[in-house]
Amino acid sequence: MSHHASVTAEQICQYQIDGAVLIKRALDPGGIALLEQGVEEAYRAQDKRATKLDGEGGAETVVRDYATQHSPSLLALTNGGAVGRIAAGLMETASAQVILDQIFYKSRGPILPTPWHQDTPFLRVRGDPLVRLWFPCDFSPKALTVQVVRGSHRWNTVYNTGANADPEAGATRGVGDSWLPPAPDVRRYRESFDILSWDVEPGDAVAFQGNMLHGTDGHPGHDSPRRAFAILLGGPELRYHAPEGKAFPSPGRVRGLRADDAIPHGAKIGDYRDAFPICPT
């Protein structure tokens, strides 16, 4: 894979200020081929770690967690150097460790929206050196691409796992910390927020800080699929968080490298590389 995937000083500055940046041509043709093949491999994998969301009119979204463990191609992509270099470069850290990776597979036709949310309450980590890289397999217009609330990474608030501020919606049952405040209802009060979005093509990467509010809009009948690989990575100073309820286990636990995630609350993940493996750069 080409070494051209390093980030520029301007991209780092935009990421630090806005919390998000579009990196054009982050992957070379070989990386794009691995991306598309890998998303298809993970989509077709037969196990219980896929979530299928159904909506009206036949809308369907398939989400598979820990996708690299079901796809040799996605594993090769993450081990190729570009992914780790982008993440460590934006975070300005010596290395980047894998927190979670997923595929999002929305077939041609009706597209379900993704409710506005933070990733943070679903995770076992807390802190600033945390970035999500979103790699699309298909062209996606900004109206359907992941959107973020500019600057929300600096609000210093972790919201509960409820999708919006509706008190009747509450948090996702048994997940994260129930005492966290509800998230703002971005969809309902969209004009009150500064929202960033981009037209993206295969090979591009949308990078945003892991604490940002983000979501996507739906569509009654899009003429092509929307497939993407998304990976969350943290710097070695990121801290482990032991939540009150359920949360995504560490990649090392899922791989069988650890019996459990009995890591001291507040410990640096850099000291637990068996739980959160380093992404090669």
Side-chain angles (χ1 to χ4, degrees), residues 3 25 33 35-36 47 60 75 99 120 130-132 152 181 183 186 225 228 242 249 264 267 280:
H3 289 265
R25 297 177 293 280
L35 171 67
E36 183 165 14
D47 80 342
E60 175 186 295
L75 184 60
I99 308 298
T120 321
L130 177 65
V131 63
R132 180 181 275 276
S152 57
V186 179

Side-chain angles (χ1 to χ4, degrees), residues 6-8 12 15-16 83-93 96:
S6 299
V7 294
T8 66
I12 294 171
Y15 171 79
Q16 295 292 341
V83 174
R85 282 196 302 277
I86 292 171
L90 291 174
M91 294 187 293
E92 298 185 289
T93 56

Side-chain angles (χ1 to χ4, degrees), residues 14-212:
Q14 184 178 355
Y15 171 79
Q16 295 292 341
I17 294 173
D18 292 343
V21 63
L22 172 65
I23 301 173
K24 298 294 293 182
R25 297 177 293 280
L27 301 179
D28 64 13
I32 295 172
L34 285 174
L35 171 67
E36 183 165 14
Q37 182 175 334
V39 168
E40 291 294 333
E41 287 172 353
Y43 175 68
R44 294 188 174 91
Q46 300 296 317
D47 80 342
K48 297 180 180 179
R49 288 201 184 96
T51 301
K52 181 178 176 182
L53 307 174
D54 297 309
E56 295 180 2
E60 175 186 295
T61 297
V62 173
V63 181
R64 183 176 294 281
D65 304 323
Y66 309 98
T68 53
Q69 299 185 37
H70 305 280
S71 166
S73 298
L74 288 180
L75 184 60
L77 176 65
T78 59
N79 287 339
V83 174
R85 282 196 302 277
I86 292 171
L90 291 174
M91 294 187 293
E92 298 185 289
T93 56
S95 60
Q97 292 172 248
V98 180
I99 308 298
L100 173 68
D101 63 85
Q102 301 166 300
I103 65 161
F104 296 87
Y105 201 107
K106 301 186 178 186
S107 301
R108 175 181 178 182
I111 290 180
L112 284 170
T114 300
W116 286 86
H117 67 287
Q118 278 177 314
D119 291 328
T120 321
F122 296 91
L123 305 176
R124 294 179 182 271
V125 293
R126 295 289 187 272
D128 185 66
L130 177 65
V131 63
R132 180 181 275 276
L133 302 180
W134 189 84
F135 296 96
C137 292
D138 311 286
F139 170 76
S140 182
K142 64 171 56 179
L144 295 179
T145 301
V146 63
Q147 303 170 38
V148 302
V149 177
R150 188 201 305 262
S152 57
H153 64 309
R154 298 301 184 204
W155 291 356
N156 198 31
T157 303
V158 176
Y159 300 105
N160 70 33
T161 54
N164 55 46
D166 181 354
E168 295 183 1
T172 304
R173 188 182 300 276
V175 175
D177 297 307
S178 63
W179 47 266
L180 294 172
D185 192 346
V186 179
R187 186 176 304 280
R188 183 176 182 183
Y189 300 106
R190 186 182 181 93
E191 298 304 316
S192 298
F193 297 90
D194 186 1
I195 295 175
L196 297 173
S197 60
W198 306 265
D199 294 327
V200 296
E201 300 176 310
D204 295 345
V206 174
F208 57 95
Q209 208 273 350
N211 297 311
M212 294 193 80

